[in-house]
Amino acid sequence: MRRPALCNLVLAFGLLALSELMTPTQAAAEARLALVIGQSAYRTVPALPNASNDANGMAELLGNAGFMVTAAPNLSQSEMRQAISDFADKVSASGADTVALVFYAGHGLQIDGENYLVPVDLDPKREADIPLQGVRLNDLLNTLGALPTRARIFMLDACRNNPFPALSGAGHGLAIVDTKAGAPGSFISYSTSPGAEAEDGSGADSPYTTAALTVAKQPNIPIEEVFKRIRISVAQSTDGRQIPWESSSLTTDFKFFGGDSSSGQPPAPGANAMALASTTRSVEDWRKDLQGKDAKAAYQLVIADDTVPAYQAYIELYAQDAQTPRLRTVLERRRQMLAWDRAVAINTRASYEAYLANWDNSDLAATARRLLLRVQNRNYVLPVVAAAVPVAVAMAPTCPCSAPTPPSTPVNPTVAPIIKKRVDDTPPKRKVVETPPKPRRPPPDEVVVERAPPPGPPPGAVMQGIGIGIGLGMGMGMGGGGRGGGGEMGHGDYGRGTRY
């Protein structure tokens, strides 16, 4: 009886000592939370039966991978927003060492360069109804991006065809979302390339989810490698018609199954981000890598990389291969979507005109014209900001009254930028100071003496006397020439006098 007890005591002390030597990352497992949305029972358009199956399959897979799964099928707009808000509350309460994953299967649309998830009650009559009735993808990304988490993973099987006939101006598929432009620690995956449409599939699940359910089960595979294999599998099953795409700003390692027990070392922070940056290669680098390889092997390499330089090198080296025409279409669409992403991000007259100059007949041309008209109708001049990359096309002011006068000598703005300050020609207003009125001097006392006219000569003689008095007063400076008005004028003080 004593020997087993002693062994247990020794084992307990050994485990305690081992736990003290382990790092916090190894001692405590990360928390995993998942929100799975399957939009199948649409009310105004045909149902998507595979979307419900996709959601159920992914919920089971994620549950086996250690996620606490919240299933939310067939959501209206208000229900979807509430589900996202509730999920964000759970992620926030779980702490900073949480991996948050959102899987969405259903319809998705891009309107005016924005991506929208489609609730089952959406019933648009025009493109302008989508922002009112849909749920912006950026709202989902920003809601979770504002929370301190270890990683945020978004899997979107939402690039199916547009089922709403009223939205003739909507672009195909989804627009590019660059996770590097937002909070670090995010990973987003599309079921197909930006601007392309995914297939619903002929089986129980879509081609994208079918591949994910198979590949993600493999242990000890980093998430970037998982989705490279998913991309190759989907491209093979659809004969190149569908090529999944992803963008990553992860700063830590993640594996669906297996963890890091095989190496015994925690992942180095930022290891995946640095690895992704180091694998970005030029067209010349890809030519060297593909030179002499079999066309099939080369095709799988460029599909796994899914970049413009890789596709360009393959098309140049394997011009006669059966896959080259399809890859040429993929390459052209990718360049177009990158240009569209830049045009919307810059959002100026010059950016939309540059896009229309190259893709005037594309599915996004109508949207580009609408946005171009919108920026032309602005009643203000955009402020000039410093740009890291010189703008090829200068933007003219939209209001002639606010156009600055050009300098007499041309100046290179990249060398000596011209800064014009607003000059106000209106003279400054004079400050009016109210001064109290000067006190009026009281009038002098006046003595009015009324006398009866004396008897005397007739009126004519009186007038002669007045004239003589005036003459004498002006000539002699004294008023002795009579008793009329001349006596007062002859007096030296103009302020006083006696009125007769």
Side-chain angles (χ1 to χ4, degrees):
M1 294 296 293
R2 294 180 180 177
R3 186 171 298 175
L6 182 61
C7 292
N8 292 337
L9 184 61
V10 172
L11 179 61
F13 276 109
L15 292 176
L16 180 62
L18 180 61
S19 63
E20 292 178 353
L21 294 174
M22 292 176 66
T23 62
T25 305
Q26 292 170 303
E30 64 189 10
R32 295 186 170 194
L33 299 177
L35 173 64
V36 177
I37 301 174
Q39 300 290 81
S40 181
Y42 284 98
R43 303 173 187 175
T44 59
V45 295
L48 288 175
N50 278 3
S52 178
N53 298 333
D54 296 343
N56 293 335
M58 285 301 304
E60 181 180 358
L61 172 73
L62 295 173
N64 294 333
F67 282 87
M68 183 180 296
V69 180
T70 300
N74 299 320
L75 301 179
S76 64
Q77 183 194 50
S78 60
E79 292 170 342
M80 189 181 298
R81 289 177 174 172
Q82 188 62 50
I84 295 172
S85 177
D86 293 343
F87 182 68
D89 290 341
K90 294 179 182 179
V91 173
S92 178
S94 182
D97 197 33
T98 300
V99 175
L101 187 148
V102 177
F103 175 84
Y104 176 89
H107 282 300
L109 297 168
Q110 64 160 312
I111 302 293
D112 292 355
E114 284 272 10
N115 293 325
Y116 292 88
L117 307 179
V118 179
V120 295
D121 61 342
L122 186 137
D123 186 17
K125 301 298 186 295
R126 60 194 66 84
E127 284 84 356
D129 291 338
I130 300 300
L132 300 176
Q133 300 181 21
V135 175
R136 286 202 328 160
L137 175 60
N138 275 340
D139 291 342
L140 169 63
L141 301 178
N142 294 335
T143 298
L144 295 182
L147 303 177
T149 55
R150 184 179 180 187
R152 296 171 298 275
I153 303 169
F154 304 91
M155 299 174 64
L156 303 178
D157 198 355
C159 308
R160 294 168 169 89
N161 64 310
N162 173 19
F164 301 98
L167 307 181
S168 58
H172 299 308
L174 297 180
I176 288 177
V177 174
D178 187 3
T179 58
K180 299 177 182 62
S186 295
F187 185 96
I188 186 169
S189 171
Y190 288 174
S191 58
T192 192
S193 299
E197 294 179 353
E199 299 178 6
D200 197 44
S202 56
D205 297 305
S206 70
Y208 174 77
T209 302
T210 299
L213 293 176
T214 302
V215 177
K217 291 179 180 179
Q218 302 173 18
N220 295 319
I221 303 178
I223 185 172
E224 291 84 5
E225 182 63 26
V226 167
F227 282 90
K228 284 183 179 181
R229 298 184 184 186
I230 290 174
R231 181 160 49 247
I232 294 173
S233 177
V234 173
Q236 290 176 346
S237 64
T238 61
D239 195 22
R241 297 186 302 274
Q242 182 174 333
I243 301 176
W245 171 91
E246 68 267 353
S247 176
S248 175
S249 65
L250 291 179
T251 57
T252 186
D253 197 9
F254 174 81
K255 299 174 182 178
F256 284 97
F257 292 92
D260 300 290
S261 59
S262 60
S263 63
Q265 296 293 331
N272 287 324
M274 291 184 292
L276 288 177
S278 65
T279 57
T280 302
R281 289 172 286 180
S282 65
V283 177
E284 183 60 31
D285 293 334
W286 273 103
R287 289 195 194 100
K288 296 177 181 178
D289 292 341
L290 299 179
Q291 193 73 43
K293 286 186 171 58
D294 178 69
K296 184 178 180 180
Y299 175 78
Q300 291 188 354
L301 286 175
V302 299
I303 289 293
D305 190 69
D306 192 42
T307 61
V308 169
Y311 291 140
Q312 180 66 40
Y314 183 91
I315 291 171
E316 293 177 4
L317 294 176
Y318 303 91
Q320 305 302 321
D321 187 71
Q323 298 291 348
T324 298
R326 191 174 298 279
L327 283 188
R328 189 177 285 112
T329 302
V330 172
L331 175 61
E332 179 66 15
R333 184 62 171 176
R334 182 64 54 82
R335 285 174 171 166
Q336 178 188 344
M337 294 307 299
L338 289 171
W340 174 243
D341 182 59
R342 287 193 295 269
V344 174
I346 298 174
N347 193 34
T348 63
R349 174 179 178 178
S351 67
Y352 294 121
E353 287 179 343
Y355 177 84
L356 290 172
N358 293 286
W359 290 283
D360 186 50
N361 296 321
S362 71
D363 58 306
L364 295 167
T367 301
R369 294 188 188 97
R370 182 168 61 248
L371 297 179
L372 173 61
L373 181 63
R374 190 176 299 172
V375 298
Q376 284 178 331
N377 289 336
R378 290 174 181 167
N379 57 355
Y380 59 89
V381 177
L382 294 176
V384 178
V385 296
V389 180
V391 179
V393 183
M395 180 176 177
T398 56
C399 177
C401 60
S402 61
T405 304
S408 57
T409 304
V411 180
N412 186 352
T414 60
V415 178
I418 300 172
I419 301 177
K420 288 185 175 293
K421 296 185 177 179
R422 183 176 181 270
V423 179
D424 192 352
D425 296 332
T426 306
K429 296 182 179 180
R430 299 181 59 184
K431 186 176 182 180
V432 179
V433 180
E434 296 183 359
T435 56
K438 295 182 179 180
R440 294 186 59 186
R441 185 175 180 182
D445 296 335
E446 295 183 355
V447 180
V448 179
V449 180
E450 295 183 358
R451 296 179 180 179
V462 174
M463 293 298 294
Q464 293 177 0
I466 293 174
I468 295 172
I470 292 173
L472 291 174
M474 294 178 64
M476 300 176 60
M478 55 185 296
R483 295 182 178 230
E488 184 176 349
M489 292 183 65
H491 202 284
D493 187 356
Y494 291 102
R496 292 185 180 182
T498 302
R499 188 176 59 187
Y500 293 93

